[in-house]
Amino acid sequence: MRVTFLGTGTSVGVPRIACECGVCTSTDPRNKRLRCAIAIEHLDRSILIDTPPDLRTQALRHDLRRVDAVLFTHGHADHLHGLDDVRSYCFGRDEPIPVYGDRPTLDRITRVFDYAFDSAWAQAVPRMSLHPIRGALELFGLRIQPVTVMHGRLPVLAFRIGRFAYVTDCNAIPDEAMSQLRGLDVLVLGALRHKGHPTHFTVDEALEIVAELAPRQAYFTHIAHDLDHQATNDYLPEAVELAYDGLVLEVS
């Protein structure tokens, strides 16, 4: 299974509009962060986790030639509002692209992208079939286990696939979810910045989760402009590092 980080940035991306801080003006390409998403490739199929507003740029940059399914962590704009760009993957495809999420996220899709479900626009919309996630699912030979974590007061989904897990946008992981995330080779976890935040882990809070779960390797994502890539990696312990846009992992 191949995992490509399409974006690793927070909701406004990095550089942030109208900001002249050291990270936003950095020449290190690892400090250029589009909004969060990954692509998972397995057996010549491709699954997106989230569709950020930068999806078209990400798909072109990483030569993403097909999308066979989409999984959503939640319905916030920075994870959802690029969904119309999936339309390009519908051309020449007989069946709609299956989209999976919790019920609030699917309800939001039907509101925000109402035109996609209007027959009058049938030739110019992302053709999707919506599937509520109620438990583990099988996609293209992969068993995908949803894991509920907390993003402030909002329950959102993380996903475990074998010994890999993707856990972004959260500031608390309930005990049941922690038990579902043990025994990992790779944990991807949101870590916004050093300063506290009401809905996201700080770097040190994320490190506490890593220490308890003890994956072989951890990568932090959903990164704000407060964190310089190299300086933060110098601060992090062994087997923990910041992800960056374009990072590719081969996960068994």
Side-chain angles (χ1 to χ4, degrees):
M1 181 177 81
R2 172 175 291 183
V3 178
T4 301
F5 288 79
L6 303 178
T8 57
T10 186
S11 59
V12 296
V14 183
R16 194 174 76 177
I17 292 172
C19 182
E20 297 182 358
C21 75
V23 174
C24 287
T25 57
S26 169
T27 59
D28 186 341
R30 298 170 300 178
N31 281 329
K32 311 300 183 187
R33 303 172 184 133
L34 299 178
R35 270 69 70 92
C36 266
I38 60 172
I40 296 172
E41 296 170 276
H42 180 69
L43 298 179
D44 297 322
R45 300 295 186 96
S46 182
I47 302 168
L48 286 180
I49 299 186
D50 292 334
T51 59
D54 304 307
L55 181 58
R56 179 179 180 275
T57 296
Q58 293 166 334
L60 291 171
R61 179 176 293 177
H62 301 292
D63 196 26
L64 186 63
R65 294 299 183 98
R66 61 184 298 157
V67 169
D68 298 287
V70 181
L71 301 173
F72 279 106
T73 59
H74 63 298
H76 284 170
D78 55 319
H79 293 260
L80 174 63
H81 282 193
L83 182 56
D84 188 78
D85 287 331
V86 173
R87 178 162 47 115
S88 294
Y89 297 105
C90 297
F91 300 150
R93 180 187 174 99
D94 294 330
E95 299 297 324
I97 292 175
V99 171
Y100 300 85
D102 61 20
R103 177 47 63 187
T105 300
L106 298 185
D107 288 345
R108 183 167 178 80
I109 288 172
T110 60
R111 294 195 306 273
V112 175
F113 299 93
D114 57 336
Y115 60 89
F117 306 96
D118 185 340
S119 60
W121 298 89
Q123 301 304 312
V125 300
R127 291 184 297 108
M128 303 174 283
S129 58
L130 303 184
H131 303 272
I133 293 177
R134 298 189 176 94
L137 59 146
E138 298 279 342
L139 286 177
F140 320 122
L142 295 174
R143 185 181 188 274
I144 299 170
Q145 174 67 53
V147 178
T148 300
V149 299
M150 298 305 298
H151 183 23
R153 292 181 294 176
L154 178 69
V156 302
L157 293 180
F159 296 101
R160 176 170 183 158
I161 306 171
R163 297 177 69 86
F164 168 86
Y166 185 72
V167 189
T168 185
D169 283 54
C170 66
N171 68 323
I173 302 179
D175 290 343
E176 181 180 357
M178 289 292 285
S179 68
Q180 294 173 305
L181 294 171
R182 298 192 185 279
L184 295 170
D185 286 339
V186 178
L187 170 65
V188 180
L189 182 63
L192 185 70
R193 62 193 190 192
H194 289 294
K195 183 181 177 181
H197 192 278
T199 63
H200 291 274
F201 283 134
T202 65
V203 170
D204 286 341
E205 289 168 342
L207 285 173
E208 291 176 6
I209 297 296
V210 171
E212 184 170 348
L213 292 178
R216 291 188 178 181
Q217 178 71 44
Y219 295 93
F220 290 163
T221 191
H222 207 283
I223 307 160
H225 71 152
D226 307 67
L227 300 183
D228 175 78
H229 188 91
Q230 188 58 55
T232 305
N233 275 353
D234 291 343
Y235 172 82
L236 294 174
E238 186 177 356
V240 183
E241 58 187 279
L242 294 188
Y244 56 88
D245 293 21
L247 173 65
V248 177
L249 306 177
E250 298 288 347
V251 183
S252 58

